[in-house]
Amino acid sequence: MEKTSGFSPEQQLTSLDARLLLSLQRLSDMLKAIQWEQARILGITPLQLQILLFTGHHTAAVNKVAYIAMELQLSRPTISDAAAALVSKGLLRIEKDLKDKRSYSFLLTDAGLEVLEQAEKYTEDLYAIVGKKPSREKMHLYQSVYTIIAGLSNEKGGMQRMCFNCAHYEGNRKRQHGCRLMQRKLASAELQIDCLHHSTLSWP
């Protein structure tokens, strides 16, 4: 018998896995549409908005073309062109690496910080919805989503600063987790997706 697609209404009726996958796809599509609308309002492209969101919350050590390209799973020329447009708009500035004249980072200007504050607002409705959920439900949801992202991160997830691929992590990736840097055990709901202390941040 020919296998029915997980996107078909017929399989949605009988398969919880199919409904879960379609739900994640729909949520991703909705967030992308909201993000694109926010970018349109701000007069920038969706990619430029993503770059502002990233550079606005990370250090110069990772705000480089190569790293951002890995983060967003795009080519270096694509990122370089989008970032250059933000520089021309006065939203980003270039900071050269004193140790390596060939290397440089992108940092937000004062105008860029103002746009960033507006750019982040597209998540307000989602924050409100999540905020109303009971803590236990949120913890279970986070653990489930985390394991899905971790399962995809090796080949499909881009640059992930997650506990599971950090040199500081110790545990069995199931119920036992710990951080050597913080020298303490971690609950599953405390596992990080975007950690400032991730081992890759020590790259030269």
Side-chain angles (χ1 to χ4, degrees):
M1 183 177 178
E2 186 177 351
K3 183 179 179 180
T4 306
S5 169
F7 290 93
S8 72
E10 290 84 359
Q11 191 157 354
Q12 298 296 318
L13 288 172
T14 58
S15 172
L16 176 58
D17 289 351
R19 292 195 296 273
L20 283 170
L21 290 175
L22 184 60
S23 297
L24 291 172
Q25 180 67 56
R26 289 286 175 83
L27 179 58
S28 174
D29 292 343
M30 292 171 72
L31 286 174
K32 185 181 295 184
I34 297 170
Q35 186 184 71
W36 283 34
E37 175 61 17
Q38 189 71 7
R40 185 193 66 79
I41 293 172
L42 295 173
I44 57 179
T45 68
L47 176 55
Q48 289 169 358
L49 186 146
Q50 287 181 288
I51 293 174
L52 284 179
L53 290 173
F54 184 83
T55 55
H57 293 287
H58 294 84
T59 65
V62 296
N63 286 350
K64 301 176 183 293
V65 169
Y67 201 105
I68 298 172
M70 292 179 66
E71 174 76 19
L72 301 182
Q73 301 181 75
L74 294 170
S75 69
R76 294 187 184 187
T78 298
I79 296 298
S80 182
D81 289 346
L86 289 170
V87 172
S88 67
K89 291 175 183 288
L91 303 180
L92 286 182
R93 64 180 177 85
I94 294 175
E95 181 174 274
K96 294 185 177 180
D97 190 331
L98 297 178
K99 296 181 180 179
D100 184 356
K101 294 182 179 180
R102 298 170 300 177
S103 180
Y104 58 90
S105 302
F106 294 106
L107 296 176
L108 267 67
T109 62
D110 290 340
L113 287 170
E114 292 179 6
V115 173
L116 175 65
E117 185 177 349
Q118 297 299 315
E120 294 175 331
K121 290 184 177 181
Y122 81 93
T123 60
E124 287 181 345
D125 289 342
L126 185 59
Y127 261 111
I129 293 171
V130 172
K132 294 176 182 177
K133 298 290 184 182
S135 294
R136 184 172 294 276
E137 183 178 338
K138 285 190 284 190
M139 287 190 292
H140 289 163
L141 176 60
Y142 180 71
Q143 291 169 34
S144 296
V145 173
Y146 189 96
T147 56
I148 292 172
I149 294 173
L152 291 173
S153 64
N154 289 337
E155 296 182 2
K156 304 294 184 180
M159 178 59 67
Q160 301 291 346
R161 290 168 298 283
M162 303 178 70
C163 290
F164 283 178
N165 58 20
C166 178
H168 302 309
Y169 175 81
E170 57 183 1
N172 60 11
R173 298 193 179 191
K174 294 180 180 178
R175 294 186 177 181
Q176 296 178 352
H177 312 291
C179 178
R180 296 187 185 95
L181 184 66
M182 294 190 291
Q183 297 184 342
R184 72 179 184 87
K185 296 184 181 299
L186 300 173
S188 294
E190 293 179 303
L191 292 171
Q192 299 295 303
I193 281 183
D194 186 11
C195 183
L196 286 173
H197 304 294
H198 193 275
S199 60
T200 58
L201 297 186
S202 64
W203 289 358

